[in-house]
Amino acid sequence: MKRRSLCALLAVIVGATVLLLGPHGPKLDGTFNGDPDLAARAQAFLGNDLGLETLHVSVITRDSITHAGLGHDPNGKSPDHATPMPLGSITKTFNGQLLADSIQRGEVAATDPVEKYLPELAGSPAGKATLEELASHHSELQEDLKELDLSVRTFLVGDYPAPVSTAEYLNQVRSLPVSGDKTFQYSNIGATLLGNALARAAGIDSWEAFVQERMFGPVGMVGVTFATTLGDIPAEAPLGGWDIGRRVTPFYGEGQAPAGTVTYITPDAMARYAQAILNDTIPGGTTAQEPRWQLAQGSQPGQSAWIGYHWLIEEQNGHRTLLHTGGTATASTMLAINKEADKAIMIYTSSTNFTPIKDLSNHLLYGSDKHTPYAAMLTQLSPFHIPVTVALPHPRDCRPSTSP
């Protein structure tokens, strides 16, 4: 208890000091590895803006892969093509492709209720959701088990609530309400249920083993880790954190693994995935990528958007982009694919500052020059997103103790 109180007190003191002294968050240091032209183009576009510390970008076509890594983390690590990077919710697209694959195999039907494969949910509101509703975020399940703003907790303590097992996760989902409106509502819970249901339907013991057998093996994706324990987090992974410079404990635990919270993958492996999509050799084929449910609006004015099986499809100015983004406690990611142009962009950063990677992706894919400065982005954030790099207690020293 004393340790937690000290950590919280120190964090409050430093946070108050930050409010007085003003912003000086992390930024790229000008170093790079990999392709010099790609690195120079990315660095020139991003400039010296705050909120980024390391970044890796891949430009992928059907027959070529170009990588570039920028910046260093505090441990001197610079991400390259073989660095295990947090992937986040882009993991959901594996499940979208594998839903289509499982349908093609005759193992499931899109309209099957999830309780058919997860009997732990039989008779519960969540159990009635169909597989296609889970894959399209139309199940009306809430985003996460605990709908709480954890910004304050994480800023003060540097940790998140303890992870749960798959069995405990399903037990907690049983009691969740479902409104029945069947409108779009992004749900990590729905993605988690879908992944586990597909594994059960295939007769495979775990979701991790399922995605390895059905996706990573056939595509040749080597270098994927699921951090079901804190010790599973690859030592080579960049030390990430919030865009304000706050270091926090990365996500880990098996409970919500199919949603992407604990996936670590190398840029080499993700490039193989993107190439299989461009070449239409990906398990599940193009079925998962078809626009099925139209959204009210896209992310930009004048843009149309649809959901496929966990894919977002956007159309604007004659371009159709297949994409998904990801975010964890310590990283942001984006995969954007224009199949007509035979080009994909995959970007990883070791911070929660997502805006510049969306802008950079559009720049590399379509030549867009739009770049939202970090200072402008801050006007939309909560008071706890004050940009600063400070010597707050390390998360491993401030995790809640089990002793009184």
Side-chain angles (χ1 to χ4, degrees), residues 12-342:
V12 169
I13 292 172
V14 176
T17 303
V18 170
L19 291 173
L20 294 174
L21 296 181
H24 33 251
K27 62 181 180 181
L28 298 172
D29 61 11
T31 60
F32 73 92
N33 65 73
D35 184 80
D37 292 336
L38 178 57
R41 187 176 179 188
Q43 182 70 70
F45 179 80
L46 296 169
N48 293 317
D49 210 2
L50 299 175
L52 294 175
E53 191 168 55
T54 68
L55 178 145
H56 189 280
V57 56
S58 304
V59 177
I60 304 140
T61 70
R62 290 183 178 90
D63 55 12
S64 69
I65 301 169
T66 306
H67 296 295
L70 285 73
H72 289 85
D73 72 6
N75 292 332
K77 297 175 184 175
S78 181
D80 63 22
H81 65 97
T83 301
M85 307 290 287
L87 184 61
S89 288
I90 298 173
T91 303
K92 294 179 174 69
T93 66
F94 301 160
N95 293 327
Q97 290 294 147
L98 291 176
L99 170 58
D101 182 64
S102 295
I103 292 170
Q104 292 164 7
R105 292 170 180 263
E107 294 174 345
V108 303
T111 55
D112 285 343
V114 69
E115 65 185 4
K116 179 176 179 179
Y117 307 103
L118 299 177
E120 299 95 324
L121 301 180
S124 70
K128 305 303 179 186
T130 67
L131 301 185
E132 67 178 3
E133 289 170 350
L134 298 174
S136 64
H137 300 290
H138 281 76
S139 68
E140 285 299 310
L141 286 164
Q142 63 196 47
E143 183 171 0
D144 292 295
L145 286 179
K146 296 181 179 180
E147 294 281 28
L148 299 174
D149 183 356
L150 299 175
S151 297
V152 177
R153 171 195 167 95
T154 309
F155 188 85
L156 296 180
V157 182
D159 206 353
Y160 290 86
V164 298
S165 66
T166 299
E168 177 56 28
Y169 190 93
L170 295 177
N171 185 54
Q172 292 186 36
V173 170
R174 278 194 60 85
S175 62
L176 294 180
V178 175
S179 69
D181 293 338
K182 303 302 181 183
T183 55
F184 178 82
Q185 179 170 303
Y186 193 88
S187 177
N188 288 316
I189 295 173
T192 300
L193 298 185
L194 176 64
N196 283 311
L198 295 177
R200 295 275 188 92
I204 298 175
D205 289 341
S206 69
W207 172 78
E208 293 86 349
F210 169 73
V211 74
Q212 173 65 47
E213 179 177 320
R214 295 286 178 88
M215 179 62 71
F216 303 155
V219 176
M221 299 166 66
V222 178
V224 186
T225 300
F226 299 110
T228 55
T229 69
L230 188 59
D232 291 331
I233 297 174
E236 300 84 3
L239 180 62
W242 284 10
D243 52 306
I244 60 174
R246 177 68 171 109
R247 302 297 173 192
V248 296
T249 301
F251 290 144
Y252 64 96
E254 71 173 21
Q256 202 162 269
T261 52
V262 299
T263 307
Y264 286 80
I265 192 165
T266 65
D268 277 339
M270 274 305 293
R272 296 294 295 271
Y273 180 66
Q275 281 189 323
I277 293 170
L278 289 169
N279 289 317
D280 292 332
T281 58
I282 195 78
T286 61
T287 301
Q289 304 156 24
E290 296 172 3
R292 298 171 181 271
W293 297 268
Q294 187 164 12
L295 301 180
Q297 62 182 27
S299 59
Q300 304 292 331
Q303 188 178 69
S304 300
W306 292 264
I307 291 289
Y309 288 163
H310 274 313
W311 285 104
L312 176 64
I313 302 99
E314 293 183 342
E315 284 193 357
Q316 188 174 31
N317 299 327
H319 300 303
R320 171 173 285 194
T321 309
L322 185 69
L323 62 94
H324 209 293
T325 61
T328 72
T330 60
S332 298
T333 57
M334 182 168 184
L335 172 62
I337 303 171
N338 183 331
K339 296 182 74 171
E340 290 77 12
D342 180 27

